[in-house]
Each structure stands twice: as C-alpha cells, then as structure tokens.
Amino acid sequence: MPVGSIQKGKELVGKGVGGGGTQCAGCHGPALAGVGGIPALAGRSPSYAVRQLYDFKSGARAGHGSEMMKPVVEKITLQEMIALAAYAASLPPDGALQGK
C-alpha cells in the first residue's frame, strides 16, 4: 500500500467518496462491519476491496446492491479505491471499534 493510504482512506470514509459526500458507514455501519444484508468491509483483503469497487464503477459487477453503489463509485479514482481498501483492511473484522 502507498504510504499514507490508511489515513487517506479514513478521511474518505468520514467525509464521503467520489465528490458526492456518500459516507461508507451510512450503509456498511460505523465500524464498516456490515449491517443486515450489507456486507462488512472491515478486515477484507485490500485487493478484493479494490477489485469490487472497480467492478462496481466499470459496470462489471451488476448483482444485488450494485445500483446503490453506482452513484458512490461514479467519480471515485483508483487512488481513492486503494486508500479506502487500505483503511478497511486495517480495521478489525469483528467490529471491535464500533462506536469509537
């Protein structure tokens, strides 16, 4: 991961991504541990997360939830995808940071 990616990803999660202000935690939960049928991002492999974001943006991913993700990833850059993936991977997968 590029130096500073985790911090940049944390900032993007807090302020919103892609210029649209959509905050990841709004759907994926405050610790990105998932909510209901919305999957967890915390603790996931960075390469998996970047691939999913890229596929949402390119339209290659068209399953359940892809319509909700389209406006989120529409303006996101590859560097932002990498930063978001780095931050999410740095979080504990069990949501231990929830509410902090």
Side-chain angles (χ1 to χ4, degrees):
M1 289 290 145
V3 174
S5 293
I6 293 173
Q7 182 59 38
K8 176 68 175 172
K10 182 177 182 178
E11 292 167 8
L12 288 169
V13 166
K15 74 173 186 172
V17 297
T22 303
Q23 296 179 341
C24 305
C27 294
H28 293 278
L32 304 183
V35 175
I38 299 175
L41 304 176
R44 294 271 182 146
S45 159
S47 60
Y48 172 82
V50 170
R51 186 173 63 247
Q52 296 305 310
L53 290 168
Y54 185 85
D55 286 352
F56 278 126
K57 182 174 179 154
S58 72
R61 172 110 190 244
H64 177 71
S66 63
E67 287 301 316
M68 290 174 40
M69 285 296 295
K70 281 183 183 180
V72 175
V73 298
E74 186 175 52
K75 296 180 183 177
I76 195 172
T77 67
L78 181 57
Q79 291 75 22
E80 289 173 325
M81 289 181 196
I82 291 168
L84 289 166
Y87 175 65
S90 76
L91 298 174
D94 62 1
L97 296 178
Q98 198 158 359
K100 293 184 181 178

